[in-house]
Amino acid sequence: LLAASYMATKDYAIALDYLEDFKRNVIEHQLITGLRMYHKMKSEILYEIGDTKAAYINRLQYEKELDFQLYVEKEQEILRLQVENEIIEKDKQIQLLNSTKTFQNRNIENQSKIRNLLIFGVLSAFLLTGGLYFRYREKTRIHKIMVEKNVLLQKLSIVASETMNGVIITDKHGTPEWMNEGYQRMFGWDSIQDFIQHTGDDFLSLSSLTIEELQNYQQIAIAERRSITYQSHNQTKSGKRLDIQSSMTPVFNERDELSYWVLVETDITEI
């Protein structure tokens, strides 16, 4: 691909233009493997230019499409397994949103609507795929399902970005990977890169609690598969002290292995 060549020379703007041309050709010819390649390359380019939020969304789309196989023997069984996997992944996203529910009274109504819409979409997808008997109908209906999931994923992303609370996602070791705009406003960070540059990649070390106390909370959350709420204080980028109430939630993959930590921070300084 020309996009890959320009990516190698770090001409990312040109690479993105060619990548969009490639996507149009893929959609026109309905090449599933081409869509996987598109999202993977776009995620890598966006990460290199610092747009980690869009890179994270494209990476999710790549992972979903990587597991999504068509035109093989016993396609009905494969479709059933894929829908079950979609339900698991969407339930995890619902769990992520619900973990902020206690501290987001202003957003409860919107979260409830999104959750109901998500459940309706997943159930609709299951009913649609269950009635597919011919290859052509399977192909067209699955394409419709993927479009609906992308719309729902965008809505979930908007909720995470617009909430008043600070939300930060780390890998299983505590290295920050994404933060919402609420977290940036609360602590004064310009971006995830700005955060790591000033604080390092060990998120737990920023809390006023000891490492032993935080690790104990983590062990309880992992063992009981639930969120842990605790209070501490932290400093903004400018040095101002904030009293914080935190909700720490472990996220597990389909093999029941710890993948991420989701932390929701609420400023209780004035309470």
Side-chain angles (χ1 to χ4, degrees):
L1 291 173
L2 289 173
S5 299
Y6 283 106
M7 182 179 174
T9 59
K10 298 185 178 181
D11 293 323
Y12 297 124
I14 300 176
L16 283 173
D17 289 339
Y18 278 105
L19 199 57
E20 293 304 318
D21 291 339
F22 173 69
K23 178 184 177 182
R24 285 191 288 270
N25 290 328
V26 165
I27 294 175
E28 180 181 353
H29 298 288
Q30 300 177 341
L31 302 174
I32 301 302
T33 56
L35 280 175
R36 293 200 298 264
M37 182 183 299
Y38 165 79
H39 287 301
K40 182 176 183 296
M41 293 183 65
K42 188 170 183 180
S43 175
E44 294 172 352
I45 292 174
L46 291 171
Y47 181 82
E48 290 296 328
I49 64 178
D51 192 350
T52 54
K53 177 179 175 182
Y56 176 71
I57 292 175
N58 276 272
R59 184 65 187 185
L60 286 179
Q61 292 172 333
Y62 165 73
E63 294 293 342
K64 292 180 187 300
E65 293 173 359
L66 187 63
D67 293 332
F68 198 81
Q69 303 177 12
L70 296 172
Y71 310 111
V72 294
E73 296 295 326
K74 300 180 180 179
E75 288 171 312
Q76 292 182 350
E77 179 64 12
I78 292 176
L79 287 171
R80 183 185 67 80
L81 294 174
Q82 288 174 337
V83 171
E84 290 179 355
N85 184 62
E86 286 288 327
I87 293 174
I88 291 172
E89 293 297 323
K90 296 307 177 184
D91 282 344
K92 289 178 181 177
Q93 294 186 26
I94 293 172
Q95 180 184 6
L96 185 155
L97 290 176
N98 285 340
S99 67
T100 66
K101 186 175 180 180
T102 304
F103 314 107
Q104 298 179 19
N105 292 330
R106 296 180 182 178
N107 297 318
I108 289 177
E109 182 178 356
N110 288 337
Q111 289 184 8
S112 177
K113 290 180 180 178
I114 291 174
R115 180 179 181 277
N116 292 337
L117 181 61
L118 183 58
I119 292 174
F120 176 79
V122 173
L123 291 176
S124 297
F126 183 81
L127 293 174
L128 284 172
T129 54
L132 299 178
Y133 298 104
F134 302 102
R135 184 169 299 184
Y136 174 77
R137 292 183 64 189
E138 290 169 352
K139 173 184 171 183
T140 55
R141 294 192 184 189
I142 290 300
H143 175 72
K144 180 180 178 181
I145 292 170
M146 291 305 297
V147 170
E148 292 174 351
K149 298 301 177 295
N150 288 336
V151 172
L152 291 173
L153 188 60
Q154 290 174 357
K155 291 181 178 179
L156 291 174
S157 177
I158 291 172
V159 171
S161 296
E162 297 300 326
T163 179
M164 298 292 292
N165 299 89
V167 180
I168 186 165
I169 298 175
T170 76
D171 65 13
K172 62 182 180 181
H173 302 296
T175 301
E177 293 187 348
W178 181 83
M179 64 174 61
N180 72 341
E181 294 178 6
Y183 193 93
Q184 294 178 25
R185 290 192 298 268
M186 186 180 298
F187 291 101
W189 303 112
D190 297 327
S191 64
I192 189 72
Q193 290 84 0
D194 182 37
F195 176 84
I196 293 175
Q197 181 180 355
H198 285 82
T199 66
D201 59 4
D202 185 1
F203 179 80
L204 295 181
S205 64
L206 300 178
S207 174
S208 62
L209 300 181
T210 66
I211 295 297
E212 290 75 14
E213 289 174 318
L214 290 170
Q215 288 177 342
N216 182 55
Y217 285 144
Q218 286 184 320
Q219 291 172 2
I220 295 173
I222 292 172
E224 299 182 5
R225 297 298 195 271
R226 67 180 179 88
S227 299
I228 294 292
T229 300
Y230 59 89
Q231 294 184 0
S232 62
H233 61 261
N234 205 339
Q235 287 188 336
T236 66
K237 182 179 179 180
S238 64
K240 178 182 178 181
R241 168 176 164 158
L242 296 180
D243 292 326
I244 299 297
Q245 182 162 292
S246 303
S247 173
M248 179 190 297
T249 303
V251 179
F252 301 88
N253 61 23
E254 64 275 5
R255 295 185 296 276
D256 202 32
E257 299 169 341
L258 179 64
S259 295
Y260 304 101
W261 287 100
V262 178
L263 291 102
V264 180
E265 308 273 90
T266 302
D267 182 2
I268 58 173
T269 305
E270 304 300 328
I271 298 178

